[in-house]
Amino acid sequence: MTRKFFVGGNWKMNGDKKSLGELIQTMNGGKVDSNVEVVCGAPSIYLDFVRSKLDSKFGVAAQNCYKVPKGAFTGEISPAMIKDCGVNWVILGHSERRHVFGENDELIGQKTAHALENGLGVIACIGEKLDEREGGITEKVVFAQTKVIADNVKDWSKVVLAYEPVWAIGTGKTASPQSVLCWVRHFFSSGSVTGATCKELASQKDVDGFLVGGASLKPEFIDIINAKA
């Protein structure tokens, strides 16, 4: 199956209505490649706001969801709630959810299954930490993360896998195209994607897109969207 080049923007816990409104205005006014699918991951409190302001040619994603439809789960949101905001995507298994909030592979697999059952597209994140890479267990870690996601997927047309070299985040180390491509084949590459690096990464035959962090909050996000062109 041929997929459009995919660019996700993960805004994380950043922004307010003023700054996000300005970013949305920039995106709406920017000239973007129509052959690229773009999805912006907004903080849950701003999902309604972003979906109402962002041009319909751009998708919107929640940054997380829980594994059941409703209940006594303070602070969580469900796929049904996400869809009720007009949003059709969710990011699951991001390294910060795994390593800051302690989400394990099993929980991420359960979340993936529930999100897909409820009609959301899933941006599923995988990737190894620096100590895992230096310990020579990258393949073991990435395989385990990927398997539990794959075990819960029946229709891959609703899923993108984003390989995130966690070791390249905040360590001063840079994920080169070569180091990314050791582990990415028709996955989407995350980590070290900026306006300066996007064209080289996009030119690699086995990179089908990006999941962008901080750079997705800047005007250069338009350049990243257009990197393939």
Side-chain angles (χ1 to χ4, degrees), residues 156-183:
W156 282 97
S157 70
K158 299 284 288 181
V159 180
V160 298
L161 277 174
Y163 168 74
E164 179 184 27
V166 185
W167 50 269
I169 301 170
T171 63
K173 297 178 183 291
T174 300
S176 68
Q178 292 72 30
S179 64
V180 168
L181 289 173
C182 287
W183 302 108

PDB file of all heavy atoms in Angstrom, residues 156-183:
ATOM      1  N   TRP A 156      -3.878  -1.637   9.079  1.00  0.00           N
ATOM      2  CA  TRP A 156      -2.713  -0.750   9.153  1.00  0.00           C
ATOM      3  C   TRP A 156      -2.927   0.576   8.433  1.00  0.00           C
ATOM      4  O   TRP A 156      -2.106   1.485   8.556  1.00  0.00           O
ATOM      5  CB  TRP A 156      -1.489  -1.474   8.604  1.00  0.00           C
ATOM      6  CG  TRP A 156      -0.919  -2.446   9.590  1.00  0.00           C
ATOM      7  CD1 TRP A 156      -1.150  -3.782   9.646  1.00  0.00           C
ATOM      8  CD2 TRP A 156      -0.049  -2.154  10.687  1.00  0.00           C
ATOM      9  NE1 TRP A 156      -0.487  -4.346  10.704  1.00  0.00           N
ATOM     10  CE2 TRP A 156       0.211  -3.380  11.367  1.00  0.00           C
ATOM     11  CE3 TRP A 156       0.537  -0.984  11.168  1.00  0.00           C
ATOM     12  CZ2 TRP A 156       1.027  -3.454  12.493  1.00  0.00           C
ATOM     13  CZ3 TRP A 156       1.352  -1.063  12.296  1.00  0.00           C
ATOM     14  CH2 TRP A 156       1.591  -2.277  12.945  1.00  0.00           C
ATOM     15  N   SER A 157      -4.004   0.691   7.673  1.00  0.00           N
ATOM     16  CA  SER A 157      -4.251   1.971   6.990  1.00  0.00           C
ATOM     17  C   SER A 157      -4.566   3.083   7.987  1.00  0.00           C
ATOM     18  O   SER A 157      -4.525   4.263   7.653  1.00  0.00           O
ATOM     19  CB  SER A 157      -5.401   1.824   5.987  1.00  0.00           C
ATOM     20  OG  SER A 157      -6.639   1.657   6.649  1.00  0.00           O
ATOM     21  N   LYS A 158      -4.882   2.718   9.221  1.00  0.00           N
ATOM     22  CA  LYS A 158      -5.223   3.705  10.252  1.00  0.00           C
ATOM     23  C   LYS A 158      -4.075   3.946  11.231  1.00  0.00           C
ATOM     24  O   LYS A 158      -4.246   4.590  12.264  1.00  0.00           O
ATOM     25  CB  LYS A 158      -6.455   3.222  11.041  1.00  0.00           C
ATOM     26  CG  LYS A 158      -7.702   3.034  10.218  1.00  0.00           C
ATOM     27  CD  LYS A 158      -8.362   4.358   9.880  1.00  0.00           C
ATOM     28  CE  LYS A 158      -9.026   4.961  11.097  1.00  0.00           C
ATOM     29  NZ  LYS A 158      -9.697   6.235  10.767  1.00  0.00           N
ATOM     30  N   VAL A 159      -2.896   3.392  10.918  1.00  0.00           N
ATOM     31  CA  VAL A 159      -1.773   3.467  11.857  1.00  0.00           C
ATOM     32  C   VAL A 159      -0.528   3.985  11.153  1.00  0.00           C
ATOM     33  O   VAL A 159      -0.229   3.578  10.027  1.00  0.00           O
ATOM     34  CB  VAL A 159      -1.452   2.076  12.457  1.00  0.00           C
ATOM     35  CG1 VAL A 159      -0.276   2.161  13.425  1.00  0.00           C
ATOM     36  CG2 VAL A 159      -2.680   1.502  13.153  1.00  0.00           C
ATOM     37  N   VAL A 160       0.201   4.875  11.809  1.00  0.00           N
ATOM     38  CA  VAL A 160       1.560   5.197  11.385  1.00  0.00           C
ATOM     39  C   VAL A 160       2.492   4.889  12.548  1.00  0.00           C
ATOM     40  O   VAL A 160       2.158   5.124  13.708  1.00  0.00           O
ATOM     41  CB  VAL A 160       1.729   6.663  10.924  1.00  0.00           C
ATOM     42  CG1 VAL A 160       0.860   6.958   9.725  1.00  0.00           C
ATOM     43  CG2 VAL A 160       1.432   7.642  12.042  1.00  0.00           C
ATOM     44  N   LEU A 161       3.634   4.301  12.244  1.00  0.00           N
ATOM     45  CA  LEU A 161       4.646   4.025  13.251  1.00  0.00           C
ATOM     46  C   LEU A 161       5.706   5.115  13.179  1.00  0.00           C
ATOM     47  O   LEU A 161       6.295   5.341  12.118  1.00  0.00           O
ATOM     48  CB  LEU A 161       5.299   2.667  12.992  1.00  0.00           C
ATOM     49  CG  LEU A 161       4.576   1.429  13.509  1.00  0.00           C
ATOM     50  CD1 LEU A 161       5.295   0.177  13.016  1.00  0.00           C
ATOM     51  CD2 LEU A 161       4.498   1.425  15.020  1.00  0.00           C
ATOM     52  N   ALA A 162       5.951   5.745  14.307  1.00  0.00           N
ATOM     53  CA  ALA A 162       6.965   6.802  14.356  1.00  0.00           C
ATOM     54  C   ALA A 162       8.146   6.309  15.175  1.00  0.00           C
ATOM     55  O   ALA A 162       8.036   6.106  16.388  1.00  0.00           O
ATOM     56  CB  ALA A 162       6.379   8.059  14.984  1.00  0.00           C
ATOM     57  N   TYR A 163       9.262   6.079  14.494  1.00  0.00           N
ATOM     58  CA  TYR A 163      10.483   5.690  15.202  1.00  0.00           C
ATOM     59  C   TYR A 163      11.132   6.940  15.760  1.00  0.00           C
ATOM     60  O   TYR A 163      11.460   7.874  15.019  1.00  0.00           O
ATOM     61  CB  TYR A 163      11.455   4.968  14.274  1.00  0.00           C
ATOM     62  CG  TYR A 163      12.827   4.811  14.898  1.00  0.00           C
ATOM     63  CD1 TYR A 163      13.035   3.875  15.912  1.00  0.00           C
ATOM     64  CD2 TYR A 163      13.883   5.618  14.512  1.00  0.00           C
ATOM     65  CE1 TYR A 163      14.283   3.758  16.514  1.00  0.00           C
ATOM     66  CE2 TYR A 163      15.121   5.510  15.105  1.00  0.00           C
ATOM     67  CZ  TYR A 163      15.321   4.585  16.108  1.00  0.00           C
ATOM     68  OH  TYR A 163      16.553   4.486  16.706  1.00  0.00           O
ATOM     69  N   GLU A 164      11.338   6.948  17.064  1.00  0.00           N
ATOM     70  CA  GLU A 164      11.904   8.109  17.748  1.00  0.00           C
ATOM     71  C   GLU A 164      13.195   7.700  18.440  1.00  0.00           C
ATOM     72  O   GLU A 164      13.165   6.956  19.421  1.00  0.00           O
ATOM     73  CB  GLU A 164      10.891   8.613  18.774  1.00  0.00           C
ATOM     74  CG  GLU A 164      11.361   9.794  19.580  1.00  0.00           C
ATOM     75  CD  GLU A 164      10.339  10.172  20.652  1.00  0.00           C
ATOM     76  OE1 GLU A 164       9.572   9.305  21.102  1.00  0.00           O
ATOM     77  OE2 GLU A 164      10.334  11.334  21.036  1.00  0.00           O
ATOM     78  N   PRO A 165      14.345   8.136  17.939  1.00  0.00           N
ATOM     79  CA  PRO A 165      15.593   7.829  18.637  1.00  0.00           C
ATOM     80  C   PRO A 165      15.675   8.661  19.916  1.00  0.00           C
ATOM     81  O   PRO A 165      16.133   9.797  19.909  1.00  0.00           O
ATOM     82  CB  PRO A 165      16.677   8.222  17.624  1.00  0.00           C
ATOM     83  CG  PRO A 165      16.022   9.245  16.746  1.00  0.00           C
ATOM     84  CD  PRO A 165      14.554   8.936  16.725  1.00  0.00           C
ATOM     85  N   VAL A 166      15.189   8.086  21.021  1.00  0.00           N
ATOM     86  CA  VAL A 166      15.090   8.834  22.277  1.00  0.00           C
ATOM     87  C   VAL A 166      16.458   9.328  22.724  1.00  0.00           C
ATOM     88  O   VAL A 166      16.582  10.375  23.357  1.00  0.00           O
ATOM     89  CB  VAL A 166      14.454   7.937  23.373  1.00  0.00           C
ATOM     90  CG1 VAL A 166      14.220   8.736  24.650  1.00  0.00           C
ATOM     91  CG2 VAL A 166      13.137   7.348  22.880  1.00  0.00           C
ATOM     92  N   TRP A 167      17.497   8.595  22.330  1.00  0.00           N
ATOM     93  CA  TRP A 167      18.865   8.961  22.695  1.00  0.00           C
ATOM     94  C   TRP A 167      19.324  10.276  22.059  1.00  0.00           C
ATOM     95  O   TRP A 167      20.327  10.852  22.482  1.00  0.00           O
ATOM     96  CB  TRP A 167      19.829   7.835  22.292  1.00  0.00           C
ATOM     97  CG  TRP A 167      19.650   7.366  20.871  1.00  0.00           C
ATOM     98  CD1 TRP A 167      18.835   6.360  20.444  1.00  0.00           C
ATOM     99  CD2 TRP A 167      20.274   7.890  19.698  1.00  0.00           C
ATOM    100  NE1 TRP A 167      18.905   6.217  19.084  1.00  0.00           N
ATOM    101  CE2 TRP A 167      19.784   7.146  18.600  1.00  0.00           C
ATOM    102  CE3 TRP A 167      21.191   8.917  19.464  1.00  0.00           C
ATOM    103  CZ2 TRP A 167      20.190   7.400  17.295  1.00  0.00           C
ATOM    104  CZ3 TRP A 167      21.595   9.167  18.164  1.00  0.00           C
ATOM    105  CH2 TRP A 167      21.097   8.413  17.099  1.00  0.00           C
ATOM    106  N   ALA A 168      18.583  10.746  21.064  1.00  0.00           N
ATOM    107  CA  ALA A 168      18.964  11.992  20.389  1.00  0.00           C
ATOM    108  C   ALA A 168      18.266  13.206  20.990  1.00  0.00           C
ATOM    109  O   ALA A 168      18.511  14.327  20.562  1.00  0.00           O
ATOM    110  CB  ALA A 168      18.632  11.896  18.902  1.00  0.00           C
ATOM    111  N   ILE A 169      17.424  12.992  21.986  1.00  0.00           N
ATOM    112  CA  ILE A 169      16.638  14.089  22.552  1.00  0.00           C
ATOM    113  C   ILE A 169      17.308  14.588  23.827  1.00  0.00           C
ATOM    114  O   ILE A 169      17.432  13.856  24.813  1.00  0.00           O
ATOM    115  CB  ILE A 169      15.203  13.626  22.870  1.00  0.00           C
ATOM    116  CG1 ILE A 169      14.530  13.127  21.596  1.00  0.00           C
ATOM    117  CG2 ILE A 169      14.394  14.769  23.476  1.00  0.00           C
ATOM    118  CD1 ILE A 169      13.212  12.442  21.830  1.00  0.00           C
ATOM    119  N   GLY A 170      17.774  15.831  23.798  1.00  0.00           N
ATOM    120  CA  GLY A 170      18.351  16.459  24.981  1.00  0.00           C
ATOM    121  C   GLY A 170      19.686  15.888  25.421  1.00  0.00           C
ATOM    122  O   GLY A 170      20.130  16.127  26.539  1.00  0.00           O
ATOM    123  N   THR A 171      20.344  15.138  24.541  1.00  0.00           N
ATOM    124  CA  THR A 171      21.620  14.518  24.906  1.00  0.00           C
ATOM    125  C   THR A 171      22.808  15.185  24.220  1.00  0.00           C
ATOM    126  O   THR A 171      23.952  14.874  24.533  1.00  0.00           O
ATOM    127  CB  THR A 171      21.631  13.027  24.520  1.00  0.00           C
ATOM    128  OG1 THR A 171      21.507  12.919  23.095  1.00  0.00           O
ATOM    129  CG2 THR A 171      20.506  12.276  25.190  1.00  0.00           C
ATOM    130  N   GLY A 172      22.512  16.070  23.284  1.00  0.00           N
ATOM    131  CA  GLY A 172      23.580  16.674  22.497  1.00  0.00           C
ATOM    132  C   GLY A 172      24.004  15.812  21.329  1.00  0.00           C
ATOM    133  O   GLY A 172      24.833  16.198  20.514  1.00  0.00           O
ATOM    134  N   LYS A 173      23.428  14.601  21.247  1.00  0.00           N
ATOM    135  CA  LYS A 173      23.735  13.702  20.134  1.00  0.00           C
ATOM    136  C   LYS A 173      22.711  13.915  19.027  1.00  0.00           C
ATOM    137  O   LYS A 173      21.561  14.238  19.299  1.00  0.00           O
ATOM    138  CB  LYS A 173      23.710  12.239  20.596  1.00  0.00           C
ATOM    139  CG  LYS A 173      24.764  11.916  21.653  1.00  0.00           C
ATOM    140  CD  LYS A 173      24.664  10.481  22.114  1.00  0.00           C
ATOM    141  CE  LYS A 173      25.665  10.173  23.220  1.00  0.00           C
ATOM    142  NZ  LYS A 173      27.053  10.172  22.740  1.00  0.00           N
ATOM    143  N   THR A 174      23.132  13.754  17.790  1.00  0.00           N
ATOM    144  CA  THR A 174      22.257  13.990  16.652  1.00  0.00           C
ATOM    145  C   THR A 174      21.959  12.692  15.922  1.00  0.00           C
ATOM    146  O   THR A 174      22.866  11.895  15.676  1.00  0.00           O
ATOM    147  CB  THR A 174      22.906  14.980  15.652  1.00  0.00           C
ATOM    148  OG1 THR A 174      23.147  16.208  16.337  1.00  0.00           O
ATOM    149  CG2 THR A 174      21.985  15.235  14.474  1.00  0.00           C
ATOM    150  N   ALA A 175      20.685  12.499  15.598  1.00  0.00           N
ATOM    151  CA  ALA A 175      20.298  11.316  14.826  1.00  0.00           C
ATOM    152  C   ALA A 175      20.497  11.620  13.348  1.00  0.00           C
ATOM    153  O   ALA A 175      19.746  12.385  12.757  1.00  0.00           O
ATOM    154  CB  ALA A 175      18.850  10.959  15.100  1.00  0.00           C
ATOM    155  N   SER A 176      21.531  11.038  12.757  1.00  0.00           N
ATOM    156  CA  SER A 176      21.794  11.240  11.332  1.00  0.00           C
ATOM    157  C   SER A 176      20.836  10.384  10.521  1.00  0.00           C
ATOM    158  O   SER A 176      20.244   9.439  11.032  1.00  0.00           O
ATOM    159  CB  SER A 176      23.227  10.830  11.011  1.00  0.00           C
ATOM    160  OG  SER A 176      23.362   9.432  11.152  1.00  0.00           O
ATOM    161  N   PRO A 177      20.665  10.701   9.236  1.00  0.00           N
ATOM    162  CA  PRO A 177      19.840   9.836   8.389  1.00  0.00           C
ATOM    163  C   PRO A 177      20.289   8.378   8.440  1.00  0.00           C
ATOM    164  O   PRO A 177      19.472   7.474   8.454  1.00  0.00           O
ATOM    165  CB  PRO A 177      20.035  10.427   6.985  1.00  0.00           C
ATOM    166  CG  PRO A 177      20.357  11.856   7.226  1.00  0.00           C
ATOM    167  CD  PRO A 177      21.150  11.880   8.505  1.00  0.00           C
ATOM    168  N   GLN A 178      21.617   8.165   8.516  1.00  0.00           N
ATOM    169  CA  GLN A 178      22.121   6.793   8.523  1.00  0.00           C
ATOM    170  C   GLN A 178      21.713   6.063   9.807  1.00  0.00           C
ATOM    171  O   GLN A 178      21.315   4.911   9.791  1.00  0.00           O
ATOM    172  CB  GLN A 178      23.648   6.796   8.368  1.00  0.00           C
ATOM    173  CG  GLN A 178      24.129   7.262   7.003  1.00  0.00           C
ATOM    174  CD  GLN A 178      23.955   8.750   6.767  1.00  0.00           C
ATOM    175  OE1 GLN A 178      24.001   9.549   7.704  1.00  0.00           O
ATOM    176  NE2 GLN A 178      23.729   9.133   5.514  1.00  0.00           N
ATOM    177  N   SER A 179      21.817   6.765  10.936  1.00  0.00           N
ATOM    178  CA  SER A 179      21.471   6.110  12.204  1.00  0.00           C
ATOM    179  C   SER A 179      19.982   5.869  12.301  1.00  0.00           C
ATOM    180  O   SER A 179      19.539   4.877  12.879  1.00  0.00           O
ATOM    181  CB  SER A 179      21.947   6.958  13.389  1.00  0.00           C
ATOM    182  OG  SER A 179      21.288   8.210  13.437  1.00  0.00           O
ATOM    183  N   VAL A 180      19.182   6.760  11.743  1.00  0.00           N
ATOM    184  CA  VAL A 180      17.734   6.549  11.730  1.00  0.00           C
ATOM    185  C   VAL A 180      17.391   5.350  10.855  1.00  0.00           C
ATOM    186  O   VAL A 180      16.602   4.486  11.231  1.00  0.00           O
ATOM    187  CB  VAL A 180      17.004   7.814  11.227  1.00  0.00           C
ATOM    188  CG1 VAL A 180      15.545   7.506  10.927  1.00  0.00           C
ATOM    189  CG2 VAL A 180      17.097   8.934  12.262  1.00  0.00           C
ATOM    190  N   LEU A 181      18.021   5.281   9.699  1.00  0.00           N
ATOM    191  CA  LEU A 181      17.659   4.244   8.733  1.00  0.00           C
ATOM    192  C   LEU A 181      18.135   2.853   9.130  1.00  0.00           C
ATOM    193  O   LEU A 181      17.736   1.868   8.524  1.00  0.00           O
ATOM    194  CB  LEU A 181      18.188   4.617   7.350  1.00  0.00           C
ATOM    195  CG  LEU A 181      17.444   5.799   6.714  1.00  0.00           C
ATOM    196  CD1 LEU A 181      18.131   6.216   5.430  1.00  0.00           C
ATOM    197  CD2 LEU A 181      16.002   5.459   6.452  1.00  0.00           C
ATOM    198  N   CYS A 182      18.969   2.762  10.176  1.00  0.00           N
ATOM    199  CA  CYS A 182      19.285   1.433  10.705  1.00  0.00           C
ATOM    200  C   CYS A 182      18.013   0.740  11.182  1.00  0.00           C
ATOM    201  O   CYS A 182      17.924  -0.478  11.169  1.00  0.00           O
ATOM    202  CB  CYS A 182      20.255   1.549  11.892  1.00  0.00           C
ATOM    203  SG  CYS A 182      21.927   1.981  11.435  1.00  0.00           S
ATOM    204  N   TRP A 183      17.030   1.539  11.587  1.00  0.00           N
ATOM    205  CA  TRP A 183      15.853   0.958  12.222  1.00  0.00           C
ATOM    206  C   TRP A 183      14.557   1.322  11.541  1.00  0.00           C
ATOM    207  O   TRP A 183      13.498   0.811  11.889  1.00  0.00           O
ATOM    208  CB  TRP A 183      15.817   1.393  13.693  1.00  0.00           C
ATOM    209  CG  TRP A 183      17.074   0.963  14.352  1.00  0.00           C
ATOM    210  CD1 TRP A 183      18.122   1.745  14.751  1.00  0.00           C
ATOM    211  CD2 TRP A 183      17.470  -0.381  14.625  1.00  0.00           C
ATOM    212  NE1 TRP A 183      19.144   0.976  15.246  1.00  0.00           N
ATOM    213  CE2 TRP A 183      18.765  -0.331  15.191  1.00  0.00           C
ATOM    214  CE3 TRP A 183      16.864  -1.614  14.456  1.00  0.00           C
ATOM    215  CZ2 TRP A 183      19.451  -1.470  15.581  1.00  0.00           C
ATOM    216  CZ3 TRP A 183      17.547  -2.745  14.850  1.00  0.00           C
ATOM    217  CH2 TRP A 183      18.829  -2.674  15.401  1.00  0.00           C
TER     218      TRP A 183
END
